[in-house]
Amino acid sequence: MENAFASTWPEGFAADVLDGLSRPSKRLSCRYFYDAEGSSLFDEITRLPDYYPTRAETAILEAHAAEILDGAGEETTLVEFGSGSCRKTEILLERGDGLAAYAPIDICAAALEEARARLARRFPDLRVLPIVADFSASFALPREIARGRVVGFFPGSTIGNFTPAEASLLLAAIRRALGPGGRLVIGVDLKKDPARLLAAYNDPRGVTAAFNLNLLARINRELGGGFDLDGFGHQAIYDAAEGRIEMRLVSRRWQQAEAAGRAFGFRRGEAIHTENSYKYAVDEFRATARAAGWSPRRVWTDEAALFSVHELLSA
Ligand code: AVI
């Protein structure tokens, strides 16, 4: 055993950190951003003037909710992937005609419980069936839900945090989970002027930097890590060839830090890759969806064409 506390560490997190920091190009997975502190920083990001995706997607949902849910009636369950606080769903629920049920899927039981309690107050007649699961791993809907009509909802451009190959696999897994006749409504951030993209990931208040650095703070808290947070800087660049924002943490000096019982060295300027956020042209995303077996149907965008919401049908 490398460390006396190792057995108390969250197993997947420790293994992923050890693996990611041992690579020649160091990396940490963006899925670990979202502990309580990271989720609250992300909430703050969504309210920043420069972070346009949340506002643009909200505007689309507000303008087109009835159309988006068109045909989803009393036998339909709305299933949300990675629901978090469910705020965007409320826009749909407000305008959707009496759905049979709402099934939010999230890895965080506490967030689901909070959302369930809020929705119960706001929509007393709605059945809420929370599912604690990691939808990016293999999953199946409970039979009670899968039996009826299902509309999936995957907002926030979370799909952009997967590589196109991973996105394709995930879209195919969602299609299988929703079953024949399933429909998916998915939010996807659009390609645009790189200056606009860069501003969204390099906010002057430093909230995105704090969100990025929280990954090291989380390693310190949960894996007995010894990172000096002042020793790393936030970096977000746009790789136009890949069509993605890349976030990194860059070492300001030569240093060593412990994580999960092992010491890691960092050269001055050495980067830890922490997140990809892929941006798609409308047709690029439709092609990705097609490759995953979906038939792309309607697409809605906001007035400034910053963000898109796609409707996909399963044959
Ligand atoms: C959750 N996800 C879609 C966000 C994004 O824009 O890729 C996460 C984020 N990273 C930095 N700012 C926001």
Side-chain angles (χ1 to χ4, degrees), residues 100-133:
Y102 167 57
I105 308 177
D106 203 279
I107 204 159
C108 176
L112 280 175
E113 178 45 33
E114 204 186 299
R116 195 202 54 73
R118 205 182 56 246
L119 292 175
R121 282 193 298 274
R122 188 140 180 228
F123 305 98
D125 296 334
L126 180 73
R127 283 180 74 210
V128 181
L129 309 167
I131 303 170
V132 182

Side-chain angles (χ1 to χ4, degrees), residues 34 42 45 51 156-158 161 201 208 211 247 275 277 279:
Y34 303 94
F42 179 64
I45 288 176
Y51 192 77
S157 202
T158 302
N161 295 133
Y201 293 83
T208 311
F211 173 69
M247 292 214 312
E275 185 183 60
S277 192
K279 312 300 169 187

Side-chain angles (χ1 to χ4, degrees), residues 145-161:
I145 297 174
R147 261 202 307 260
R149 291 176 66 183
V150 185
V151 174
F153 184 43
F154 192 12
S157 202
T158 302
I159 195 72
N161 295 133

